[in-house]
Amino acid sequence: MFSLNASNTYHFYRKACDMRKSFNGLSGLVKNELNREPTSGDVFVFLNRNRTHLKLLHWERGGFVLYYKRLERGSFTPPVIKEDQTSFTWPQLVLMIEGITVEKSVQKLRYSH
């Protein structure tokens, strides 16, 4: 429970989403429009038309988890990702949820195995 972190893969649904959708409706969007498997363990991110509501759909061992945030003021700024991609990173998700917009950033090289 509450196991979202940098090891997850995050996918952004680019169209406005009807926030009345729950587990089954969002899973249908993942399968039919993103061409992904909702039970893969990836996290799928949805925004409404006004970008004031955000839902995250995530499959964990034993079932789906749905995270939902509604802003009282302001709106979410979607992550900047290439047109032909849906995936983005944990830091981009955190910045979006916290309402932080980065005007310019430089990713420094890091050693990886």
Side-chain angles (χ1 to χ4, degrees):
M1 191 161 154
F2 303 118
S3 63
L4 300 182
N5 57 50
S7 68
N8 293 101
T9 301
Y10 298 88
H11 297 281
F12 183 66
Y13 181 71
R14 292 181 184 273
K15 297 178 187 175
C17 182
D18 180 352
M19 287 294 141
R20 294 174 293 185
K21 291 186 184 296
S22 189
F23 300 100
N24 293 337
L26 296 174
S27 293
L29 291 177
V30 169
K31 221 173 211 197
N32 299 324
E33 298 201 27
L34 294 177
N35 298 317
R36 302 247 175 224
E37 184 55 48
T39 57
S40 65
D42 292 350
V43 181
F44 301 94
V45 181
F46 304 89
L47 291 175
N48 67 335
R49 184 174 317 284
N50 295 328
R51 298 190 330 233
T52 56
H53 295 66
L54 171 125
K55 282 189 178 182
L56 306 175
L57 179 69
H58 180 224
W59 174 265
E60 291 184 352
R61 187 176 37 176
F64 281 110
V65 176
L66 190 62
Y67 300 92
Y68 189 16
K69 182 167 183 171
R70 181 187 78 184
L71 296 177
E72 293 299 319
R73 291 190 321 173
S75 61
F76 293 105
T77 302
V80 177
I81 52 179
K82 294 179 183 175
E83 284 295 318
D84 60 338
Q85 293 182 325
T86 63
S87 63
F88 64 105
T89 65
W90 168 254
Q92 288 174 298
L93 177 67
V94 172
L95 291 173
M96 180 174 67
I97 291 173
E98 292 299 324
I100 300 169
T101 303
V102 177
E103 297 295 324
K104 182 181 177 187
S105 69
V106 177
Q107 178 77 40
K108 297 199 178 203
L109 295 176
R110 298 286 187 250
Y111 177 78
S112 80
H113 301 268

